[in-house]
Amino acid sequence: MRKKKRAQKIVFKSEKDVPLMAMSTGTMLHNKTGAWRNIKPVIDLDNCIQCGICWKFCPDVCIFVEDELPVIDYDYCKGCGICAEECPTKCIAMVEEEK
Amino acid sequence: MAKLKDLAAMEDRLVAGHGMCLGCGIPLIFRIVLRATEDPLIIANATGCLEVCTTIFPRTSWNVSWIHSAFENAAATIAGVESMYKALKNKGRIPKDKKIKFLGVGGDGGTYDIGLQALSGAMERGHDIVYVCYDNNAYANTGGQRSSATPLGASATTSPEGIKSPGKLQRKKDLTKILVAHNIPYVAQASPNRWQDLYKKAQKAFETEGPAFLNILCLCPTEWKCDESQGIRLAQTAVDTCVWPLYEVENGKYKINYLPKEKKPVLEWIKPQGRFRHLFKEENAWVLEKYQKQVDEDWEELNKLAKL
């Protein structure tokens, strides 16, 4: 399994904590872009041919290949639908997000 | 050639959590380009969508060293960094055989227009750098103003379509040819839908000693006003219609990397995009004709150059 990296919360307690120049002190993984989503992709793994096309065309870096099968990280998926469009066996369906 | 599975196992150098729009082509391109080298990498980034969305203070999406200075001088910055490392190697502070790659990145605004003189200077001085331009045809970060990469007839906020105007009246600047005229070792034009091709070109660019330049078509559903899931399809039609031919120029020798089975009419590239919608009015038919003629002429010229 891929290890999930945790992003720390960054708090500047006083002015002295703020860096003097614009520099990065943490990772953007803290920004859970999955909240933007209206529709979400669901993979039917029975029909998956493990071609990796969904992995290579994912703009949000949220599809990973684990044990040769694609896994979607719903924390970051924005629901653009490129994976469903490009899948050669059409085994990815875009379904309405339940809230 | 690395296999897809090996590449998938590599750690991402651009991580998730960035604030790019739905279906944006930029992260898609850079995941491929950054996988093309395993050496340590230093990136100088011009202002643009990529810089703004990946580094929202105080966080960053990059797993590599990354600098941002100003809009116009990404190429100058990375050239300076390269010279600094050369000096450190000469002084013996770092081992001489240590391989470090230098990458300048800019959008079409930061490369075609504002950063052109800095880029030209860096290429002329022959620094060992790679410059990647992601061309999304507009200043997408600031709301879609026209840039010199905007194609003929496209509607942008500073070249809007209306009763008197059919969108942008001028043709697109051919930056790749300008870079070829610098007589640098490697210049290429690529598209994200041809994945292997883009990966190979990025690998070649990193391996080249001396300056190398990659011009990559980047899908932008927000400014092209198309469905966000259609981006890769659109890139495919751009390649098939020869609006964006894929070719490389190695030491002055042209080579076309992709010959479409049958050259499609430009109409297929224009139809799905909202920014060209007004071209289907009767009074704007001449723009379509002019566009088609221009694409045909460019393609013919490219074929002639490749046969030399």
Side-chain angles (χ1 to χ4, degrees):
Chain A
M1 277 296 278
R2 187 178 56 91
K3 273 183 223 157
K4 265 204 169 177
K5 281 183 187 166
R6 290 273 163 85
Q8 299 287 319
K9 204 177 176 187
I10 298 172
V11 184
F12 298 126
K13 279 180 186 159
S14 70
E15 282 172 23
K16 282 177 189 168
D17 286 357
V18 182
L20 286 172
M21 55 186 277
M23 58 181 282
S24 303
T25 51
T27 150
M28 286 279 280
L29 285 172
H30 185 73
N31 187 14
K32 297 269 165 72
T33 48
W36 300 15
R37 184 173 65 223
N38 287 326
I39 45 172
K40 70 172 182 181
V42 176
I43 305 180
D44 175 12
L45 288 178
D46 295 339
N47 291 332
C48 179
I49 53 166
Q50 299 151 21
C51 60
I53 285 179
C54 53
W55 169 81
K56 71 183 183 189
F57 287 138
C58 177
D60 297 319
V61 206
C62 67
I63 297 183
F64 295 91
V65 179
E66 276 169 20
D67 302 330
E68 305 201 344
L69 287 170
V71 177
I72 299 173
D73 188 346
Y74 288 109
D75 281 352
Y76 301 106
C77 173
K78 292 171 189 160
C80 63
I82 286 185
C83 49
E85 183 70 34
E86 295 302 318
C87 179
T89 57
K90 298 286 167 211
C91 70
I92 304 179
M94 299 303 288
V95 297
E96 199 85 8
E97 182 78 28
E98 286 170 28
K99 292 234 164 126
Chain B
M1 186 67 216
K3 278 181 184 162
L4 197 66
K5 278 170 193 163
D6 303 332
L7 291 177
M10 276 172 83
E11 203 187 350
D12 272 297
R13 282 168 154 183
L14 178 69
V15 297
H18 56 73
M20 240 92 63
C21 309
L22 299 191
C24 180
I26 305 172
L28 211 146
I29 288 169
F30 282 96
R31 288 177 70 192
I32 305 168
V33 171
L34 298 184
R35 273 184 164 78
T37 177
E38 287 182 28
D39 296 329
L41 192 65
I42 297 169
I43 299 179
N45 199 172
T47 309
C49 285
L50 182 66
E51 177 261 329
V52 170
C53 298
T54 52
T55 51
I56 301 165
F57 183 77
R59 301 181 179 280
T60 178
S61 280
W62 298 90
N63 269 340
V64 288
S65 313
W66 184 93
I67 325 166
H68 167 240
S69 59
F71 210 150
E72 66 279 8
N73 54 12
T77 307
I78 199 66
V81 173
E82 194 258 354
S83 308
M84 191 268 284
Y85 272 92
K86 215 185 252 170
L88 284 180
K89 273 182 191 172
N90 286 343
K91 281 181 184 168
R93 298 259 197 96
I94 47 173
K96 280 210 167 161
D97 53 344
K98 191 175 167 79
K99 275 185 185 166
I100 303 166
K101 302 282 191 232
F102 304 93
L103 175 65
V105 175
D108 60 307
T111 309
Y112 278 73
D113 301 342
I114 302 172
L116 186 57
Q117 57 95 358
L119 176 66
S120 178
M123 292 294 160
E124 188 268 330
R125 289 191 298 272
H127 293 281
D128 187 11
I129 57 173
V130 179
Y131 194 97
V132 172
C133 167
Y134 58 91
D135 174 5
N136 55 10
N137 294 181
Y139 285 88
N141 178 34
T142 46
Q145 286 82 2
R146 115 200 229 292
S147 78
S148 54
T150 311
L152 177 76
S155 173
T157 48
T158 45
S159 64
E161 54 97 7
I163 306 164
K164 300 266 180 186
S165 148
K168 190 182 165 182
L169 290 164
Q170 297 79 14
R171 58 160 297 172
K172 183 186 170 110
K173 192 200 273 179
D174 198 341
L175 183 72
T176 319
K177 292 257 172 69
I178 297 178
L179 266 296
V180 172
H182 283 71
N183 292 322
I184 57 175
Y186 191 72
V187 181
Q189 197 161 282
S191 162
N193 68 301
R194 305 284 301 172
W195 200 87
Q196 298 277 25
D197 180 61
L198 173 55
Y199 179 78
K200 264 188 218 162
K201 281 173 180 168
Q203 222 173 17
K204 255 188 200 173
F206 279 120
E207 277 165 14
T208 307
E209 273 185 38
F213 178 81
L214 288 179
N215 199 0
I216 305 172
L217 181 72
C218 174
L219 12 143
C220 180
T222 316
E223 293 311 330
W224 295 7
K225 299 184 178 60
C226 61
D227 194 76
E228 52 260 17
S229 64
Q230 299 297 319
I232 299 289
R233 287 283 156 88
L234 261 180
Q236 180 67 48
T237 40
V239 173
D240 280 340
T241 53
C242 301
V243 169
W244 190 262
L246 304 184
Y247 64 97
E248 60 184 354
V249 185
E250 233 178 322
N251 299 317
K253 182 95 182 96
Y254 278 81
K255 187 185 171 195
I256 297 175
N257 302 103
Y258 176 74
L259 281 166
K261 272 178 197 155
E262 53 169 327
K263 191 165 162 292
K264 289 179 181 165
V266 171
L267 210 65
E268 285 195 27
W269 150 253
I270 282 172
K271 241 180 198 168
Q273 300 181 57
R275 59 177 176 159
F276 290 117
R277 198 176 42 204
H278 55 280
L279 294 186
F280 294 98
K281 288 180 194 162
E282 257 175 56
E283 66 264 30
N284 291 333
W286 65 274
V287 183
L288 272 179
E289 261 171 48
K290 197 176 167 190
Y291 198 174
Q292 178 70 57
K293 203 177 152 218
Q294 174 215 311
V295 169
D296 289 347
E297 277 171 7
D298 286 355
W299 178 241
E300 222 167 89
E301 196 199 321
L302 186 66
N303 274 305
K304 267 183 205 162
L305 285 168
K307 273 175 199 151
L308 283 178

